[in-house]
Amino acid sequence: MARKTRLPQAVDPTPLRQRWGCEIDDELLRLALVHRSWANEAGGVPNNERLEFLGDSVLSIVTAEYLYAHHPSRPESDLSRMRAAAVAQEPLAEAARRLRVGDYILLGRGEDAYGGRDKPSILSDTFEALVGATYLTVGFEATRAVVLRHLGFLLERAASNSAARDWKTVLVEYGHARGYGEVTYEVTGEGPDHARSFHAQVFFAGRSECVGQGTASSKKHAEHAAARDAMRKFGAEID
């Protein structure tokens, strides 16, 4: 169990807990709702990023298991794209909006003023943090059930959405087929919390030059934009 840290909570999260439909430890629930902007203004208290990291991994295995079982004829490449489509930023933000997660997030004043409660990156990251908190409270089986309940509609439409969304997987497959080596990313960030910007560059281990660049409000989505930029360039080269 993660170390608990007492945190204030501006809004009673009980309605969110009820909509979530699964037990979450009180302190872990509060921590899952603490955005880094609020944590910084509060003097550097813990934020939800560690729970987000854990929840992202849990989501990956739950969705992979579901797609493997429900699409027995699809190859690994299709399953990878389908999984990425289901747990991308916009779909997870959609799931978070259905639960009204934004009403309960602790945000810094600047982030709140700039519409952070409906920002896809914040909503998707908080959803992942809630998954992480659930896993630490009740374990994998119960967490899998709650994830499938809230993401079932995304998994059902993943097959049709996958091709356009998972550029990181597409880039890995492209490089592997041509012997370019491992894909790596270099990411830098700048700006205040309410207007944070990340710039990513993507490289192949077998090539010295940057093959794509992208900018977004989170590291992982900047990497996605860089992979998309790279594939657009390679697509022109292929044509």
Side-chain angles (χ1 to χ4, degrees):
M1 177 68 69
R3 180 178 62 86
K4 297 181 180 180
T5 303
R6 293 195 174 276
L7 299 166
Q9 178 66 47
V11 179
D12 180 8
T14 299
L16 175 61
R17 190 200 305 270
Q18 293 171 344
R19 286 192 290 272
W20 187 251
C22 186
E23 181 61 30
I24 305 180
D25 174 85
D26 288 343
E27 297 298 330
L28 287 174
L29 175 58
R30 293 189 180 98
L31 182 59
L33 298 171
V34 176
H35 186 257
R36 66 169 180 267
S37 61
W38 188 92
N40 290 341
E41 289 185 7
V45 302
N47 60 45
N48 65 4
E49 290 178 349
R50 282 171 53 84
L51 284 175
E52 174 200 338
F53 165 79
L54 178 60
D56 178 69
S57 298
V58 174
L59 278 177
S60 182
I61 186 61
V62 170
T63 55
E65 180 186 59
Y66 176 93
L67 293 168
Y68 179 87
H70 285 77
H71 299 277
S73 64
R74 302 295 286 266
E76 181 274 338
S77 58
D78 284 357
L79 296 177
S80 293
R81 295 186 185 115
M82 291 164 68
R83 177 179 59 185
V87 297
Q89 176 178 283
E90 288 292 345
L92 289 184
E94 182 180 351
R97 289 189 186 100
R98 291 186 175 201
L99 292 161
R100 296 177 58 188
V101 169
D103 294 347
Y104 302 91
I105 302 173
L106 284 169
L107 292 173
R109 290 185 294 273
E111 190 67 77
D112 202 2
Y114 277 80
R117 295 188 185 282
D118 195 50
K119 187 180 290 185
S121 59
I122 293 177
L123 288 173
S124 61
D125 291 347
T126 305
F127 187 95
E128 290 175 339
L130 288 168
V131 172
T134 305
Y135 172 76
L136 290 176
T137 302
V138 297
F140 181 75
E141 294 299 328
T143 303
R144 175 171 56 187
V146 76
V147 165
L148 293 178
R149 181 161 64 250
H150 294 305
L151 299 189
F153 73 103
L154 299 175
L155 290 165
E156 289 176 0
R157 73 188 191 198
S160 60
N161 289 352
S162 60
R165 288 187 173 174
D166 189 17
W167 290 108
K168 292 180 71 173
T169 298
V170 172
L171 182 61
V172 169
E173 293 172 351
Y174 178 86
H176 178 73
R178 288 156 181 80
Y180 288 163
E182 181 183 359
V183 176
T184 60
Y185 294 87
E186 293 183 2
V187 184
T188 57
E190 60 181 10
D193 284 322
H194 66 271
R196 191 72 169 163
S197 178
F198 294 90
H199 183 74
Q201 294 181 302
V202 60
F203 301 84
F204 282 118
R207 292 180 157 209
S208 59
E209 75 275 14
C210 168
V211 296
Q213 303 183 60
T215 301
S217 60
S218 71
K219 292 180 181 178
K220 61 185 176 184
H221 299 110
E223 291 176 354
H224 183 275
R228 180 175 58 187
D229 180 53
M231 285 309 304
R232 283 176 174 171
K233 293 176 181 176
F234 285 128
E237 177 183 305
I238 294 168
D239 291 339

